[in-house]
Amino acid sequence: MTSGLHHITAITRKIQANVDFYCGFLGLRLVKRTGGFEDAAQLHLFYGDAEASPGSLVTFLAWEDGSPGRVGHGAASEIAFAIHPEAIGFWLTRALQFGVSASGPATEFGEPVLRLTDPDGIIVKLVGTTAVEPGAAWPVRGIEEADAVTRLRAATLLSEKPAESLNFLARHAGFSVAGTEGTITRLISASGQAIDVRDATGFWPAAPGTGAIDHIALRMPDQAAVEAQAAALRSRGDDMINMHDRKYFYSLYVREPAGGLIELASDGPGFAVDEPLETLGSRLFIPEHFHLRPEDIVPMLPQFGLPGEPRIIYRDLPFVHRIHEPDAPDGSTLVLLHGTGGNEASLLPFGRKIAPSSTLIGPRGRSTEEGVARFFRRFGAREYDQKDIRSEAEAFIAFIQQAEEAYGLDIQRLSFAGYSNGANFLVAVIMLHPGLVREALMLRPVPVLVDPPDNDLSGTRTRILAGADDPAGEETSLLAEQLRRRGASVDLVTVAGDHALSEADVIAAKTWAD
């Protein structure tokens, strides 16, 4: 029956830990991997039952190493899955075996509930119930079909206006009140799935971020039903509606009266429209409306391995960083330092184009200016914080040394590339700590050190790419001369364009990388 929950979407900080929990521990199937529909550089994973059925789905947007959100009113706070009542004991034992935080079982609305915490701190409840028809179990070693998680049971919505939230969900999504326990009122759909609306009057408001649930999606039979609900909402004066063709379903987004984001999503066309049911979730899809080439976006998306597959084991190092491994690595490593406002993924597509067989490492600058990342602070347009440059350079050297050990990097095949602020920082590191950075590509750099030390830089090979129309071109030439006087090999190349990167930079950088 077409009613109830379609999916629940949340945000994760570490995609590998997320995959390990939802696929490895809970035994859900990864049914689709895409770039985000709003931001193609944001990985979006969909988990569900063996057939990717509406009502079985939980999805996650990856904000790798992103800031945590906050649970509060105006958002959902819990995800509940249905299991057979007799499976509660199995899941309590499995949680102990896997080291998953668990409490209970307790009774809620007459059903046994085991509360778990996922790696981002999201509360995931396993509810023993026969009120929801089970879906198709995905075969997972160690989980029998009778114990499998195959359907969503409920979502908990925190509301400062519970009566209005209840009325909205009953009117537009076909739910009806089934009972109340304490501050929680349960709404039930014809499918048996529920939304628990908790009176959160006096709580703090929700804040978006990792570990937060973004929205609850409710089932509609088809696109026509979604459009009919849009017309009904507009007739009541609600014009804040976003309609989208999400390829796998058609949907609208709307805020319920207390601010919670609700999506009404059609059952079809389903997840098998672009890959066979047998191999669902094995390919990465970039939403077509972005009109992007895969090479321009795929390297920016975090890599992960399904249970049993190889994966990158990230270490806790001085800089937040991203690693991107090629299909056939040749043992070389390229470290990429972003410009002002970039992040650890910004230069990965550039790095993949110029060094297709290298392992790429992108660190994130630790200083900030007006909320954007940099590798060192500045006081004005050409006034740089010398103490910050030196202290961050020391931290960066420690990062590289620790990364060599942590990831088995070959120091003899280690090279660096930086753009703008990242290039300026890279030059400072070369001058302050000679010997570690032996191969460096700097794009649009300028000198930032006051009275740079007169260290011997012989044996350091660099290429500087200057923009023909870059206003800082004269400063770039001065920097090249500073490096030469200290014995570095400097190849200064001027390319067409200004301060921004272009295809000309890729062409010029390829010859350096080769």
Side-chain angles (χ1 to χ4, degrees):
M1 182 176 295
T2 303
S3 69
L5 301 170
H6 186 280
H7 66 267
I8 300 172
T9 293
I11 303 167
T12 180
R13 187 174 188 272
K14 293 289 187 183
I15 199 63
Q16 184 62 70
N18 184 265
V19 170
D20 289 342
F21 180 84
Y22 287 92
C23 289
F25 173 69
L26 285 183
L28 297 175
R29 183 183 187 183
L30 176 62
V31 298
K32 192 65 61 177
R33 57 180 90 185
T34 76
F37 287 99
E38 301 297 331
D39 179 1
Q42 185 177 69
L43 182 66
H44 193 179
L45 298 187
F46 296 74
Y47 307 103
D49 69 356
E51 297 176 354
S53 307
S56 73
L57 304 166
V58 60
T59 92
F60 281 87
L61 298 165
W63 292 11
E64 284 289 294
D65 295 296
S67 300
R70 181 178 64 199
V71 176
H73 65 73
S77 63
E78 297 174 332
I79 300 171
F81 290 100
I83 59 173
H84 194 279
E86 295 179 359
I88 286 286
F90 165 81
W91 283 103
L92 180 57
T93 301
R94 187 170 173 85
L96 294 171
Q97 291 172 337
F98 277 70
V100 173
S101 176
S103 64
T107 301
E108 298 180 12
F109 290 96
E111 299 171 332
V113 175
L114 184 65
R115 304 174 85 87
L116 311 173
T117 304
D118 85 352
D120 288 292
I122 296 173
I123 299 300
V124 175
K125 300 193 296 188
L126 300 183
V127 182
T129 183
T130 57
V132 179
E133 184 178 349
W138 179 242
V140 174
R141 188 175 66 178
I143 303 177
E144 299 294 333
E145 183 175 351
D147 298 320
V149 173
T150 61
R151 274 286 186 272
L152 289 167
R153 170 58 172 135
T156 302
L157 179 65
L158 303 185
S159 173
E160 274 204 313
K161 303 174 181 178
E164 294 179 45
S165 297
L166 290 165
N167 183 49
F168 177 93
L169 293 168
R171 185 171 62 247
H172 294 290
F175 285 77
S176 58
V177 174
T180 299
E181 286 190 358
T183 60
I184 299 174
T185 298
R186 170 158 287 186
L187 292 168
I188 289 288
S189 69
S191 68
Q193 291 175 316
I195 298 177
D196 293 331
V197 178
R198 180 178 177 182
D199 185 347
T201 303
F203 283 22
W204 49 76
T210 60
I213 297 173
D214 184 72
H215 65 268
I216 302 170
L218 308 176
R219 289 179 68 185
M220 296 283 118
D222 50 33
Q223 180 175 337
V226 174
E227 292 174 341
Q229 287 300 325
L233 286 161
R234 291 192 178 103
S235 71
R236 299 178 67 90
D238 195 337
D239 293 325
M240 301 300 291
I241 300 170
N242 291 309
M243 305 281 285
H244 297 279
D245 182 352
R246 296 305 197 196
K247 187 171 184 176
Y248 312 112
F249 46 87
Y250 190 83
S251 69
L252 70 81
Y253 294 86
V254 64
R255 296 279 177 183
E256 51 88 19
L261 184 58
I262 302 296
E263 181 180 8
L264 302 181
S266 66
D267 272 7
F271 288 88
V273 296
D274 51 11
E275 58 183 335
L277 181 63
E278 295 75 20
T279 58
L280 277 183
S282 61
R283 292 178 55 199
L284 173 65
F285 293 91
I286 304 301
E288 297 163 357
H289 62 271
F290 287 109
H291 305 292
L292 293 170
R293 297 176 299 177
E295 60 267 28
D296 291 330
I297 200 68
V298 170
M300 298 182 72
L301 302 178
Q303 294 175 310
F304 63 90
L306 290 171
E309 293 180 347
R311 75 271 307 279
I312 299 168
I313 306 298
Y314 278 88
R315 306 303 182 186
D316 187 12
L317 301 182
F319 284 75
V320 170
H321 55 287
R322 178 79 58 82
I323 299 175
H324 195 276
E325 293 185 330
D327 293 333
D330 64 5
S332 65
T333 302
L334 176 59
V335 181
L336 297 138
L337 285 70
H338 63 80
T340 299
N343 59 35
E344 61 273 23
S346 298
L347 284 184
L348 295 182
F350 176 82
R352 183 54 66 227
K353 290 175 184 177
I354 69 172
S357 298
S358 293
T359 295
L360 307 179
I361 300 180
R364 182 196 300 173
R366 307 192 307 177
S367 297
T368 58
E369 182 176 304
E370 297 180 350
V372 299
R374 289 174 55 88
F375 282 95
F376 57 85
R377 293 188 298 267
R378 62 182 178 180
F379 300 128
R382 290 292 184 267
E383 187 180 0
Y384 307 104
D385 187 333
Q386 299 298 303
K387 289 184 178 179
D388 197 37
I389 293 172
R390 283 167 168 76
S391 63
E392 288 303 295
E394 290 180 1
F396 184 74
I397 293 297
F399 165 73
I400 294 300
Q401 292 171 340
Q402 293 175 35
E404 289 174 17
E405 181 177 354
Y407 302 122
L409 308 182
D410 183 351
I411 188 64
Q412 301 301 319
R413 305 196 65 190
L414 181 63
S415 57
F416 299 77
Y419 165 61
S420 193
N421 176 252
N424 301 343
F425 182 66
L426 187 54
V427 173
V429 170
I430 291 171
M431 290 187 170
L432 293 170
H433 301 276
L436 181 68
V437 179
R438 312 294 290 186
E439 301 275 342
L441 171 70
M442 282 88 75
L443 302 103
R444 314 298 191 271
V446 297
V448 294
L449 286 175
V450 174
D451 298 325
D454 194 20
N455 288 321
D456 180 8
L457 301 182
S458 57
T460 301
R461 183 177 76 96
T462 68
R463 172 171 286 188
I464 296 175
L465 300 186
D469 300 319
D470 189 348
E474 290 186 8
E475 292 183 82
T476 300
S477 298
L478 174 62
L479 175 64
E481 185 56 32
Q482 288 180 348
L483 290 168
R484 288 193 182 104
R485 286 202 307 266
R486 289 162 175 77
S489 169
V490 182
D491 182 17
L492 177 58
V493 178
T494 300
V495 299
D498 51 20
H499 195 73
L501 296 182
S502 68
E503 192 62 29
D505 291 288
V506 174
I507 295 170
K510 278 183 176 179
T511 60
W512 169 82
D514 294 339

